[in-house]
Amino acid sequence: MFLTRLIYASKVAADVNRDDLDQIIESACKNNAELGVTGALVFSNKYFLQVLEGGRSEVNTVYHKILADKRHYEPTLLDYSEISQRMFHEWEMKLFLETNINRKTNIKYFSQENFDPYEISGKTAAKLLQDITSKDHMEK
Ligand code: FAD
């Protein structure tokens, strides 16, 4: 089965709180482990940015489940590629909080310092996710 990488952005539903985030990560880790899917989820007060990596069919299954989730809206596919190796293989799913993103990282990728994944291309989103997840201080 081809290895694939899928990146999407979405808008956080108004009533989402920290308990929701913990529950999402708990479900994601459990389900993704069973499917061999790995990745990372970035949360800001406004947006989610998520990368999923794994077999094509498995990534597709997870993405469709996520699309139906009412805890976010306007999910928008930023990038879908066949890959020869994973870049985000360390976690079944790990949460990164936007509040911990270094200001310089935001300046590097966004025109106005504000984290807005709808403003960037899929390739740029992959680079941003790589930067965010490589920083030790970006703990859950
Ligand atoms: P369980 O894990 O058994 O559900 C546990 C609890 O969550 C239950 O109390 C249930 O009521 C509640 N719950 C389940 N679904 C929802 C829902 N749609 N809305 C509100 N409460 C709910 N899932 C993954 O498997 N992998 C991912 O990588 C992943 N990433 C996500 C990223 C985002 C931004 C969001 C919003 C959701 C993500 N999810 C992910 C969660 C996914 O949408 C489903 O909720 C989850 O897969 C359901 O898992 P489950 O059927 O095993 O339910």
Short mmCIF file of all heavy atoms in Angstrom, two decimals, residues 80-109:
data_model
loop_
_atom_site.label_atom_id
_atom_site.label_comp_id
_atom_site.label_asym_id
_atom_site.label_seq_id
_atom_site.Cartn_x
_atom_site.Cartn_y
_atom_site.Cartn_z
N TYR A 80 -2.10 16.60 -0.45
CA TYR A 80 -2.20 15.14 -0.42
C TYR A 80 -1.11 14.61 -1.34
O TYR A 80 -1.07 14.96 -2.51
CB TYR A 80 -3.58 14.68 -0.91
CG TYR A 80 -3.67 13.19 -0.94
CD1 TYR A 80 -3.95 12.48 0.23
CD2 TYR A 80 -3.41 12.46 -2.09
CE1 TYR A 80 -3.99 11.10 0.23
CE2 TYR A 80 -3.46 11.09 -2.11
CZ TYR A 80 -3.75 10.41 -0.93
OH TYR A 80 -3.77 9.04 -0.94
N SER A 81 -0.19 13.82 -0.79
CA SER A 81 0.90 13.32 -1.64
C SER A 81 1.21 11.86 -1.33
O SER A 81 1.03 11.40 -0.20
CB SER A 81 2.21 14.09 -1.41
OG SER A 81 2.04 15.22 -0.64
N GLU A 82 1.72 11.19 -2.36
CA GLU A 82 2.32 9.87 -2.13
C GLU A 82 3.75 10.13 -1.72
O GLU A 82 4.44 10.96 -2.33
CB GLU A 82 2.25 9.03 -3.41
CG GLU A 82 0.84 8.54 -3.64
CD GLU A 82 0.64 7.85 -4.97
OE1 GLU A 82 1.60 7.79 -5.76
OE2 GLU A 82 -0.47 7.39 -5.20
N ILE A 83 4.19 9.44 -0.67
CA ILE A 83 5.51 9.72 -0.11
C ILE A 83 6.33 8.43 -0.02
O ILE A 83 5.76 7.33 0.02
CB ILE A 83 5.39 10.36 1.30
CG1 ILE A 83 4.51 9.48 2.23
CG2 ILE A 83 4.80 11.76 1.20
CD1 ILE A 83 4.45 9.98 3.66
N SER A 84 7.64 8.58 -0.01
CA SER A 84 8.50 7.38 0.10
C SER A 84 8.86 7.10 1.55
O SER A 84 9.24 6.00 1.91
CB SER A 84 9.77 7.56 -0.74
OG SER A 84 10.42 8.74 -0.33
N GLN A 85 8.76 8.13 2.39
CA GLN A 85 8.98 7.93 3.82
C GLN A 85 8.20 8.96 4.60
O GLN A 85 7.83 10.01 4.09
CB GLN A 85 10.47 8.04 4.16
CG GLN A 85 11.06 9.40 3.82
CD GLN A 85 12.57 9.43 4.06
OE1 GLN A 85 13.29 8.54 3.64
NE2 GLN A 85 13.02 10.45 4.76
N ARG A 86 7.96 8.64 5.88
CA ARG A 86 7.19 9.56 6.72
C ARG A 86 8.09 10.66 7.27
O ARG A 86 9.26 10.43 7.54
CB ARG A 86 6.58 8.80 7.90
CG ARG A 86 5.62 7.71 7.51
CD ARG A 86 5.00 7.09 8.77
NE ARG A 86 4.42 5.78 8.44
CZ ARG A 86 3.24 5.35 8.87
NH1 ARG A 86 2.51 6.11 9.66
NH2 ARG A 86 2.78 4.16 8.55
N MET A 87 7.52 11.82 7.45
CA MET A 87 8.21 12.91 8.16
C MET A 87 7.69 13.00 9.60
O MET A 87 8.33 13.54 10.48
CB MET A 87 7.95 14.26 7.49
CG MET A 87 8.72 14.48 6.20
SD MET A 87 8.79 16.23 5.71
CE MET A 87 7.08 16.71 5.60
N PHE A 88 6.48 12.50 9.83
CA PHE A 88 5.83 12.63 11.15
C PHE A 88 5.51 11.22 11.66
O PHE A 88 4.35 10.83 11.76
CB PHE A 88 4.55 13.49 11.02
CG PHE A 88 4.82 14.84 10.41
CD1 PHE A 88 4.68 15.03 9.04
CD2 PHE A 88 5.25 15.89 11.19
CE1 PHE A 88 4.96 16.26 8.46
CE2 PHE A 88 5.53 17.13 10.62
CZ PHE A 88 5.39 17.31 9.25
N HIS A 89 6.56 10.49 11.97
CA HIS A 89 6.40 9.08 12.30
C HIS A 89 6.49 8.82 13.80
O HIS A 89 6.30 7.69 14.24
CB HIS A 89 7.46 8.25 11.59
CG HIS A 89 8.86 8.74 11.84
ND1 HIS A 89 9.39 9.79 11.13
CD2 HIS A 89 9.78 8.38 12.73
CE1 HIS A 89 10.62 10.03 11.58
NE2 HIS A 89 10.87 9.19 12.55
N GLU A 90 6.76 9.87 14.59
CA GLU A 90 7.04 9.64 16.01
C GLU A 90 5.80 9.45 16.86
O GLU A 90 5.87 8.86 17.92
CB GLU A 90 7.86 10.81 16.57
CG GLU A 90 9.27 10.80 16.08
CD GLU A 90 10.08 11.91 16.74
OE1 GLU A 90 10.01 12.02 17.97
OE2 GLU A 90 10.74 12.65 16.01
N TRP A 91 4.68 9.97 16.41
CA TRP A 91 3.49 9.93 17.26
C TRP A 91 2.29 9.41 16.47
O TRP A 91 2.09 9.79 15.30
CB TRP A 91 3.13 11.33 17.77
CG TRP A 91 4.31 12.12 18.22
CD1 TRP A 91 4.97 11.97 19.42
CD2 TRP A 91 4.99 13.16 17.50
NE1 TRP A 91 6.00 12.87 19.48
CE2 TRP A 91 6.05 13.61 18.33
CE3 TRP A 91 4.81 13.75 16.26
CZ2 TRP A 91 6.92 14.61 17.94
CZ3 TRP A 91 5.69 14.76 15.87
CH2 TRP A 91 6.72 15.18 16.70
N GLU A 92 1.44 8.60 17.15
CA GLU A 92 0.15 8.23 16.52
C GLU A 92 -0.64 9.53 16.29
O GLU A 92 -1.26 9.70 15.26
CB GLU A 92 -0.65 7.31 17.45
CG GLU A 92 -0.30 5.85 17.32
CD GLU A 92 0.94 5.48 18.13
OE1 GLU A 92 1.17 6.08 19.20
OE2 GLU A 92 1.67 4.57 17.69
N MET A 93 -0.59 10.41 17.25
CA MET A 93 -1.07 11.79 17.08
C MET A 93 -0.57 12.60 18.27
O MET A 93 -0.67 12.14 19.40
CB MET A 93 -2.62 11.85 17.00
CG MET A 93 -3.17 13.20 16.59
SD MET A 93 -2.39 13.92 15.09
CE MET A 93 -2.65 12.64 13.85
N LYS A 94 -0.04 13.75 17.99
CA LYS A 94 0.45 14.60 19.09
C LYS A 94 -0.07 16.01 18.90
O LYS A 94 -0.10 16.53 17.77
CB LYS A 94 1.98 14.60 19.11
CG LYS A 94 2.54 15.40 20.29
CD LYS A 94 4.01 15.15 20.46
CE LYS A 94 4.65 16.13 21.42
NZ LYS A 94 4.37 15.84 22.81
N LEU A 95 -0.50 16.58 20.04
CA LEU A 95 -1.05 17.93 20.02
C LEU A 95 0.04 18.97 20.23
O LEU A 95 0.87 18.85 21.15
CB LEU A 95 -2.09 18.05 21.14
CG LEU A 95 -2.78 19.40 21.29
CD1 LEU A 95 -3.65 19.69 20.08
CD2 LEU A 95 -3.63 19.41 22.56
N PHE A 96 0.02 20.00 19.41
CA PHE A 96 0.93 21.14 19.56
C PHE A 96 0.07 22.39 19.67
O PHE A 96 -0.83 22.61 18.85
CB PHE A 96 1.86 21.25 18.35
CG PHE A 96 2.82 20.10 18.26
CD1 PHE A 96 2.46 18.94 17.61
CD2 PHE A 96 4.08 20.17 18.83
CE1 PHE A 96 3.32 17.85 17.54
CE2 PHE A 96 4.96 19.10 18.77
CZ PHE A 96 4.58 17.95 18.12
N LEU A 97 0.35 23.19 20.70
CA LEU A 97 -0.45 24.39 20.93
C LEU A 97 0.17 25.58 20.23
O LEU A 97 1.37 25.86 20.40
CB LEU A 97 -0.58 24.66 22.43
CG LEU A 97 -1.22 23.53 23.25
CD1 LEU A 97 -1.25 23.91 24.72
CD2 LEU A 97 -2.62 23.22 22.75
N GLU A 98 -0.65 26.30 19.51
CA GLU A 98 -0.16 27.45 18.76
C GLU A 98 0.43 28.51 19.68
O GLU A 98 1.35 29.24 19.31
CB GLU A 98 -1.31 28.04 17.92
CG GLU A 98 -0.89 29.08 16.90
CD GLU A 98 -1.01 30.49 17.45
OE1 GLU A 98 -1.79 30.70 18.40
OE2 GLU A 98 -0.34 31.39 16.91
N THR A 99 -0.10 28.58 20.90
CA THR A 99 0.42 29.59 21.83
C THR A 99 1.90 29.36 22.13
O THR A 99 2.59 30.28 22.57
CB THR A 99 -0.35 29.56 23.17
OG1 THR A 99 -0.50 28.20 23.57
CG2 THR A 99 -1.70 30.20 23.05
N ASN A 100 2.37 28.16 21.90
CA ASN A 100 3.79 27.87 22.16
C ASN A 100 4.67 28.06 20.93
O ASN A 100 5.88 27.87 21.01
CB ASN A 100 3.96 26.43 22.64
CG ASN A 100 3.36 26.24 24.01
OD1 ASN A 100 3.22 27.19 24.75
ND2 ASN A 100 3.00 25.02 24.33
N ILE A 101 4.06 28.42 19.81
CA ILE A 101 4.87 28.59 18.61
C ILE A 101 5.69 29.86 18.74
O ILE A 101 5.18 30.93 19.08
CB ILE A 101 3.99 28.66 17.33
CG1 ILE A 101 3.27 27.33 17.11
CG2 ILE A 101 4.87 28.97 16.11
CD1 ILE A 101 2.37 27.33 15.91
N ASN A 102 6.95 29.69 18.46
CA ASN A 102 7.88 30.81 18.47
C ASN A 102 7.40 31.89 17.50
O ASN A 102 6.99 31.59 16.38
CB ASN A 102 9.22 30.21 17.99
CG ASN A 102 10.36 31.10 18.25
OD1 ASN A 102 10.28 32.29 17.96
ND2 ASN A 102 11.41 30.53 18.80
N ARG A 103 7.45 33.15 17.94
CA ARG A 103 7.01 34.26 17.09
C ARG A 103 7.75 34.26 15.75
O ARG A 103 7.18 34.53 14.70
CB ARG A 103 7.25 35.57 17.85
CG ARG A 103 6.75 36.79 17.13
CD ARG A 103 6.89 38.04 17.99
NE ARG A 103 6.95 39.20 17.11
CZ ARG A 103 8.08 39.75 16.70
NH1 ARG A 103 9.24 39.26 17.08
NH2 ARG A 103 8.05 40.79 15.89
N LYS A 104 9.02 33.91 15.82
CA LYS A 104 9.81 33.90 14.57
C LYS A 104 9.31 32.86 13.59
O LYS A 104 9.42 33.03 12.38
CB LYS A 104 11.28 33.65 14.91
CG LYS A 104 11.94 34.84 15.54
CD LYS A 104 13.43 34.61 15.74
CE LYS A 104 14.03 35.83 16.43
NZ LYS A 104 15.22 35.50 17.18
N THR A 105 8.76 31.80 14.11
CA THR A 105 8.21 30.77 13.21
C THR A 105 7.00 31.34 12.47
O THR A 105 6.84 31.15 11.26
CB THR A 105 7.81 29.52 14.01
OG1 THR A 105 8.95 29.05 14.70
CG2 THR A 105 7.29 28.41 13.09
N ASN A 106 6.15 32.07 13.19
CA ASN A 106 5.00 32.67 12.53
C ASN A 106 5.43 33.71 11.50
O ASN A 106 4.86 33.78 10.40
CB ASN A 106 4.05 33.29 13.55
CG ASN A 106 3.09 32.26 14.14
OD1 ASN A 106 2.96 31.17 13.60
ND2 ASN A 106 2.45 32.59 15.24
N ILE A 107 6.42 34.50 11.83
CA ILE A 107 6.90 35.51 10.87
C ILE A 107 7.44 34.82 9.61
O ILE A 107 7.25 35.30 8.49
CB ILE A 107 8.01 36.37 11.51
CG1 ILE A 107 7.42 37.27 12.59
CG2 ILE A 107 8.72 37.22 10.45
CD1 ILE A 107 8.46 38.04 13.36
N LYS A 108 8.09 33.69 9.81
CA LYS A 108 8.69 32.96 8.68
C LYS A 108 7.61 32.53 7.67
O LYS A 108 7.85 32.54 6.47
CB LYS A 108 9.42 31.74 9.25
CG LYS A 108 10.22 30.92 8.28
CD LYS A 108 11.06 29.93 9.09
CE LYS A 108 11.65 28.86 8.21
NZ LYS A 108 12.30 27.79 9.01
N TYR A 109 6.43 32.16 8.16
CA TYR A 109 5.45 31.54 7.27
C TYR A 109 4.23 32.40 6.95
O TYR A 109 3.52 32.11 5.99
CB TYR A 109 4.98 30.21 7.88
CG TYR A 109 6.06 29.17 7.89
CD1 TYR A 109 6.78 28.88 9.04
CD2 TYR A 109 6.41 28.49 6.72
CE1 TYR A 109 7.79 27.93 9.05
CE2 TYR A 109 7.43 27.55 6.72
CZ TYR A 109 8.11 27.28 7.88
OH TYR A 109 9.12 26.36 7.88
#
